[in-house]
Amino acid sequence: MTSSSESKAIEPRETPPSEKLSLVTKLAFGVGDMGAGMTATIMVFYLLFFLTEVAGLPPGLAGTVLLVGKAWDAINDPIIGSLSDRTKSRWGRRHSWMLCAAIPFGLFFFIGWMVPDFGADIATNPWPWFWYYAIVAILFHTFYTCFNLPYAALTPELTEDYNERTSLNSFRFTFSISGSILALVMAQVIFGQIDDLKMRFVVLAGAIAVMAVIPIFLCVWGTEERYSSATEHGLSYFEQIKVVFSTKAFLFVIGIYLASWLSFQLTASIIPFYAQHWMGMEDPTPLAITVQGTAIVMLFVWSYFSRKLGKRMVYFLGMSLWIVAQIFLFFLPQGDRGFLFFLCFLAGIGISTAYLIPWSMIPDVIDQDELNTGERREGVFYAFMVLLQKLGLAIGLFMVGQALEISGFNHDLAVQPDSALMAIRVAIGPLPLVFLICGLILAYFYPITRKRHAEILKQLHERKGLPAPTCD
């Protein structure tokens, strides 16, 4: 795998770019995100608990390990995105990165759940363990980005068809959400069979690592890149920032995605507190499974309606239902669990559009950028899209933590003060509602409609001397 700043401008293969994709290709592409969904879910739910309760790190150092991993994860996205754009390889500029990163990705995920023996007392000298987990976190997130970012950039390379791209993302997030649910089920089964805490996580991490790596190879085997050579030249980090923030349509997508993703992260991070302290539920996992299970089914429903109504209208419909759910979550009486599950179902219908629509808008933005610049820079745009996803997670967790601390929340209390309960309800209702409304406003003004995208494709094909694209 090599990269070059002197490669020729990219040229599409002879296969007609508007050709509909086969079911095998869609399945192969979709399964590529399954490993990311599994590993991310296990880390979100269990990593902080593992570092403190199993490995024995002080909470402050454990939190610092998470911060180090996420900080590096955000830094390396634009770097790897640009390198991916410039890569020349007989395996393809995206596939080569996925193949090389797959096994190290699984390996470093696995060893991150082990407790090494450094011959010292972690209670008196935790630093060897801190550096071990911090270095493993940096390496894991490096190889995670090395496979996941080029994978995401495959979307516009597999097809130029407006509707097929939405369909591709339906398959992608179906496998991603299915992977997250499967990982949670596996954790419950393994934890129920093994008493030793350390061995629980070793077994779980080993099983997840194997199951996360195999789909990457299946994805490479079942997909074919449209663009086989690199972009004309590379961009520095600041040049990348200039590109993305001078592209008007991308700014709208950034806003739409960040608004919906931040709303989702706020809700996901506060739901355990809401379930336990407002609803009296010990385990919030059934609520998460209800939301994610509904989102899986609705991905294909929304993909169908997107063909009929367009991406923007589907986003309007989904967000409207999600807004209704968030409003009722604030007013829901204590202990009304039956209606709570209905609201989770309603929210899942809307959340599926947050997965589907912004990611299917990005390829259209890339086409417009190619029309303006003559280059395909998928890696740059997807890098900043992923960076914002991680930024949304960090902001969401920070906002929840600050709200709980200011309100007087105390985890040692069986019954929380009224101020803490109100903060929990505000964080699950009105606060996400504000972001969802902002997302709707931005979607209304999003400039690339289906008609505009057809015009972009027509001009691109005329420039390349290709037949005019077919449209539904």
Side-chain angles (χ1 to χ4, degrees):
M1 180 174 61
T2 61
S3 62
S4 171
S5 60
E6 300 177 354
S7 56
K8 296 179 180 179
I10 51 175
E11 293 294 341
R13 299 186 177 182
E14 293 181 359
T15 305
S18 58
E19 180 182 32
K20 296 294 186 290
L21 298 175
S22 68
L23 179 60
V24 172
T25 298
K26 292 180 180 180
L27 288 171
F29 174 77
V31 78
D33 209 36
M34 188 172 183
M38 296 182 76
T39 55
T41 298
I42 293 300
M43 294 177 72
V44 166
F45 274 85
Y46 295 113
L47 185 54
L48 185 60
F49 172 84
F50 168 81
L51 292 175
T52 55
E53 301 297 326
V54 182
L57 278 178
L61 287 182
T64 304
V65 169
L66 301 181
L67 178 62
V68 168
K70 281 297 179 185
W72 171 245
D73 204 15
I75 292 171
N76 67 35
D77 285 328
I79 298 172
I80 293 173
S82 178
L83 291 174
S84 172
D85 281 344
R86 293 185 287 150
T87 294
K88 295 179 64 179
S89 169
R90 61 189 179 92
W91 295 316
R93 58 180 184 156
R94 312 301 180 192
H95 284 167
S96 55
W97 282 84
M98 295 169 66
L99 289 171
C100 291
I103 292 178
F105 157 69
L107 175 63
F108 286 108
F109 176 79
F110 174 65
I111 66 176
W113 298 89
M114 302 176 70
V115 183
D117 183 3
F118 290 115
D121 184 3
I122 194 172
T124 57
N125 183 22
W127 292 105
W129 285 269
F130 167 78
W131 287 113
Y132 171 82
Y133 290 114
I135 292 171
V136 170
I138 289 172
L139 292 171
F140 167 77
H141 285 293
T142 297
F143 288 107
Y144 176 93
T145 303
C146 283
F147 100 82
N148 191 252
L149 187 58
Y151 162 77
L154 275 177
T155 308
E157 301 202 359
L158 294 177
T159 179
E160 288 184 347
D161 187 274
Y162 181 87
N163 293 319
E164 286 293 275
R165 288 172 171 177
T166 305
S167 178
L168 270 180
N169 279 289
S170 298
F171 281 84
R172 173 188 176 183
F173 290 112
T174 295
F175 278 100
S176 179
I177 299 170
S178 298
S180 69
I181 295 174
L182 176 60
L184 292 172
V185 173
M186 288 174 60
Q188 296 300 310
V189 172
I190 291 173
F191 292 172
Q193 299 295 321
I194 301 176
D195 294 328
D196 182 80
L197 275 178
K198 292 182 181 179
M199 187 55 62
R200 282 181 177 181
F201 285 98
V202 170
V203 173
L204 177 63
I208 295 292
V210 173
M211 296 182 66
V213 167
I214 293 174
I216 300 174
F217 291 100
L218 293 175
C219 177
V220 172
W221 169 78
T223 58
E224 182 179 3
E225 296 186 44
R226 180 177 303 280
Y227 298 96
S228 57
S229 55
T231 55
E232 197 164 299
H233 57 76
L235 297 174
S236 69
Y237 189 88
F238 292 104
E239 287 174 330
Q240 293 180 54
I241 294 176
K242 182 179 179 180
V243 166
V244 298
F245 286 101
S246 63
T247 306
K248 179 181 177 182
F250 186 67
L251 295 180
F252 278 96
V253 177
I254 284 177
I256 293 167
Y257 184 61
L258 189 56
S260 54
W261 188 254
L262 186 53
S263 301
F264 176 75
Q265 291 297 338
L266 282 170
T267 305
S269 60
I270 201 65
I271 198 69
F273 299 93
Y274 183 83
Q276 179 178 352
H277 298 290
W278 187 251
M279 284 294 158
M281 299 174 62
E282 294 184 2
D283 185 7
T285 304
L287 300 177
I289 292 176
T290 300
V291 172
Q292 297 289 66
T294 303
I296 289 177
V297 176
M298 290 304 301
L299 284 173
F300 291 96
V301 176
W302 287 129
S303 180
Y304 170 80
F305 280 109
S306 177
R307 294 176 180 273
K308 305 295 182 182
L309 305 174
K311 299 172 185 177
R312 185 165 57 180
M313 180 56 67
V314 162
Y315 186 81
F316 285 155
L317 294 174
M319 290 301 105
S320 299
L321 294 174
W322 190 359
I323 285 173
V324 171
Q326 298 294 151
I327 293 173
F328 275 97
L329 282 172
F330 176 76
F331 292 104
L332 193 63
Q334 283 184 291
D336 192 351
R337 300 182 186 179
F339 196 58
L340 174 60
F341 276 94
F342 171 75
L343 293 179
C344 288
F345 166 77
L346 199 64
I349 297 175
I351 288 171
S352 63
T353 62
Y355 280 111
L356 181 64
I357 300 303
W359 283 103
S360 60
M361 287 176 169
I362 282 293
D364 304 338
V365 173
I366 293 169
D367 288 338
Q368 185 181 65
D369 180 64
E370 183 187 6
L371 181 64
N372 295 334
T373 67
E375 294 189 39
R376 300 286 301 184
R377 299 188 285 204
E378 294 93 338
V380 172
F381 287 102
Y382 276 97
F384 279 89
M385 191 75 161
V386 174
L387 186 153
L388 285 168
Q389 177 184 359
K390 296 162 186 173
L391 179 63
L393 172 60
I395 293 175
L397 294 176
F398 174 79
M399 293 176 67
V400 169
Q402 291 299 307
L404 292 177
E405 183 174 348
I406 293 172
S407 67
F409 178 85
N410 188 337
H411 65 86
D412 292 327
L413 298 177
V415 179
Q416 297 297 324
D418 291 340
S419 57
L421 293 176
M422 178 57 71
I424 291 171
R425 294 169 62 207
V426 169
I428 205 171
L431 191 55
L433 178 63
V434 172
F435 294 111
L436 291 176
I437 293 174
C438 290
L440 283 178
I441 294 172
L442 291 170
Y444 179 80
F445 291 102
Y446 175 65
I448 304 181
T449 61
R450 190 194 330 237
K451 180 180 179 181
R452 172 56 187 154
H453 183 254
E455 294 171 353
I456 291 171
L457 282 188
K458 181 180 179 181
Q459 293 178 56
L460 284 174
H461 283 227
E462 289 176 350
R463 177 185 296 174
K464 298 172 184 176
L466 296 174
T470 59
C471 300
D472 291 339

